[in-house]
Amino acid sequence: MGLTKSEIFSEKQNRIAGMAKVLGHPARVAILQHLIKVQECICGDLVGEIGLSQPTISQHLREMKNIGLLKGNIDGNSVCYCIDENTYQEMRSAFEELLGHSVGGACC
Amino acid sequence: MGLTKSEIFSEKQNRIAGMAKVLGHPARVAILQHLIKVQECICGDLVGEIGLSQPTISQHLREMKNIGLLKGNIDGNSVCYCIDENTYQEMRSAFEELLGHSVGGACC
DNA sequence: TATCTTTATCGTAATATTGCAATGAACGAA
DNA sequence: TTCGTTCATTGCAATATTACGATAAAGATA
């Protein structure tokens, strides 16, 4: 079937999964790391930096924009990308909340 | 082509992506949250708790075991699952490192 | 032994993702 | 206007993921 049954999960669970999914590809991790380092850049920079084709980078950028992690600002004939601080902090909080527990499993 | 070009990324980037990917499905988020709450449980508990079929839950559990997030301990004819504390902490550290920066983008 | 319970695996179908060539759109420069 | 630059979109092929019925494997129970 291949169709995720989102309706049986909470909004929050679906949101966390969506944010994690966007980090679930090394190209998007690399894009985020590069943007953390240089704060802002254009698509062409990332094509040179990462080594995937321009359409592929563009597609990854769109997915990152779709969940709100990136913003793009048109500047002449190029587009300046940077991280959306709100979503970036939302992700930090969500993962910290999910991963900040004590987990001493007794059985294993 | 559908084949991720892992070889052009660093070990660390691929590892982060792999850990994120496992949280990139709401069922696996729900499994992790349940295990955080109850510390340990068997597969059948999760089937009742989450509402997916037993083979589907088993498949998700396997992916979580594959990256080391879960451990399973055979106990009679059932399997007791719990969180692997080391990987859980590794994930916390990795995401904290990735998401703990200052990101004031100037262009957007 | 026969049966029940519990979990894993196989097989399959449907959908999703990844990647890129080709093309289009929009701006700047000559 | 014409050409070059930059990025998005389209279209396609290949691989990956999601989900579950059927079945197998293995310990528990009668």
Side-chain angles (χ1 to χ4, degrees):
Chain A
M1 309 171 174
L3 206 170
T4 298
K5 292 191 160 181
S6 340
E7 71 276 6
I8 68 174
F9 302 103
S10 71
E11 281 291 328
K12 190 169 181 179
Q13 285 167 333
N14 283 308
R15 175 65 176 160
I16 291 172
M19 293 187 299
K21 196 173 189 178
V22 107
L23 297 183
H25 191 287
R28 295 191 289 263
V29 171
I31 289 171
L32 180 60
Q33 287 174 332
H34 187 70
L35 273 170
I36 287 168
K37 194 167 63 180
V38 303
Q39 299 287 0
E40 58 186 70
C41 72
I42 64 175
C43 175
D45 294 342
L46 293 164
V47 174
E49 183 76 23
I50 290 175
L52 290 170
S53 74
Q54 181 270 321
T56 302
I57 296 291
S58 184
Q59 192 172 312
H60 285 304
L61 287 171
R62 184 171 50 181
E63 288 177 60
M64 297 173 83
K65 266 201 300 188
N66 281 345
I67 65 136
L69 180 55
L70 298 189
K71 291 185 290 188
N73 193 41
I74 299 174
D75 171 30
N77 66 344
S78 65
V79 176
C80 180
Y81 282 98
C82 65
I83 298 169
D84 183 307
E85 196 168 355
N86 288 333
T87 305
Y88 185 76
Q89 289 302 335
E90 180 195 357
M91 287 177 67
R92 183 187 186 181
S93 303
F95 289 125
E96 177 59 28
E97 187 182 328
L98 186 61
L99 300 171
H101 295 267
S102 175
V103 292
C107 68
C108 312
Chain B
M1 306 167 175
L3 207 170
T4 298
K5 290 191 158 181
S6 342
E7 69 278 7
I8 68 174
F9 302 103
S10 71
E11 281 290 330
K12 191 171 181 178
Q13 286 167 333
N14 282 308
R15 176 64 176 160
I16 291 173
M19 293 187 300
K21 197 173 188 178
V22 107
L23 297 183
H25 192 286
R28 295 190 291 262
V29 172
I31 289 171
L32 180 59
Q33 288 173 332
H34 187 71
L35 272 169
I36 287 168
K37 195 166 63 179
V38 303
Q39 299 288 356
E40 58 187 71
C41 71
I42 64 174
C43 175
D45 294 341
L46 293 164
V47 174
E49 183 76 22
I50 290 174
L52 289 170
S53 73
Q54 182 271 320
T56 301
I57 295 291
S58 184
Q59 194 172 310
H60 285 303
L61 287 171
R62 183 171 51 181
E63 289 178 59
M64 297 174 82
K65 266 199 301 188
N66 282 345
I67 66 138
L69 179 56
L70 297 189
K71 292 185 287 187
N73 193 41
I74 299 174
D75 172 30
N77 66 344
S78 64
V79 177
C80 179
Y81 281 99
C82 64
I83 297 169
D84 183 308
E85 195 166 358
N86 288 333
T87 304
Y88 185 76
Q89 290 300 334
E90 180 196 357
M91 289 178 66
R92 184 187 185 179
S93 304
F95 289 126
E96 178 60 26
E97 187 182 328
L98 185 62
L99 299 171
H101 295 267
S102 174
V103 292
C107 69
C108 311

